[in-house]
Amino acid sequence: MTPFQPGDIVYCYSSETTPPKDKYHLILCCDATQNDYYYLGLLINHEIRKRYLGNPDALYCQLEVTSADGFPYLNKYPVSYIDCWFKSYTKQSEFDANFKDDSRYHKVGRLPKVFVNQVITRLNAGKGEVFSPRDINIIAKSLLDAYS
């Protein structure tokens, strides 16, 4: 399977949630190794996690999006949130295994370009609690390069 690019949105099973379930993932950047690709991404949720409700920084890091904003696959709920307060790591081989076993899992689209700077702004708002300044610089470069 072709590796994903920064800005791709992928639908697949996520073992990082409680309970594990199917989720949309926004790919931020990838790192190629000898045997696999490793992806750093964000989950897209249909509601804000309850544990964020008392944390103004975590709440600010929830980027609200709708199907009308260029996310037609998010039409099941009126509003969804790109969770810029939670890192998701996935290997290409894990995506491949998901995709081979279930035809529902696939790349669904790309982050609309108008949201790239908003994602970067929300990542920076985490004040180093979630992503280090170095990580954010790598992510910003990856996303901006992918859309240039």
Side-chain angles (χ1 to χ4, degrees):
M1 176 173 203
T2 304
F4 299 115
Q5 301 298 314
D8 285 348
I9 297 178
V10 180
Y11 183 71
C12 72
Y13 183 78
S14 177
S15 60
E16 298 171 316
T17 61
T18 305
K21 57 187 159 195
D22 298 341
K23 298 291 288 180
Y24 292 98
H25 299 249
L26 167 60
I27 305 297
L28 297 175
C29 59
C30 66
D31 180 30
T33 67
Q34 291 179 347
N35 302 318
D36 213 339
Y37 281 85
Y38 290 83
Y39 296 97
L40 177 59
L42 302 172
L43 298 179
I44 301 176
N45 300 311
H46 70 276
E47 62 186 5
I48 294 174
R49 294 172 182 226
K50 289 178 180 48
R51 68 177 181 223
Y52 296 165
L53 296 178
N55 184 334
D57 292 332
L59 287 173
Y60 179 75
C61 290
Q62 306 307 299
L63 178 57
E64 185 176 302
V65 296
T66 68
S67 60
D69 292 328
F71 301 86
Y73 39 86
L74 297 178
N75 60 0
K76 185 175 176 183
Y77 300 99
V79 174
S80 294
Y81 302 90
I82 299 174
D83 185 352
C84 299
W85 193 260
F86 180 82
K87 302 182 205 193
S88 172
Y89 293 103
T90 310
K91 294 193 294 188
Q92 181 71 42
S93 57
E94 293 170 4
F95 277 129
D96 288 348
N98 271 323
F99 289 15
K100 181 178 74 175
D101 294 339
D102 193 325
S103 63
R104 294 174 302 146
Y105 300 149
H106 61 284
K107 174 182 165 183
V108 295
R110 298 217 7 104
L111 178 71
K113 188 174 183 176
V114 297
F115 286 96
V116 171
N117 284 327
Q118 292 180 54
V119 166
I120 294 167
T121 297
R122 295 304 203 290
L123 294 174
N124 274 309
K127 301 177 182 171
E129 287 191 45
V130 181
F131 294 93
S132 71
R134 180 183 174 278
D135 287 345
I136 294 169
N137 287 337
I138 291 168
I139 292 165
K141 181 175 181 354
S142 293
L143 282 172
L144 294 171
D145 287 351
Y147 285 86
S148 61

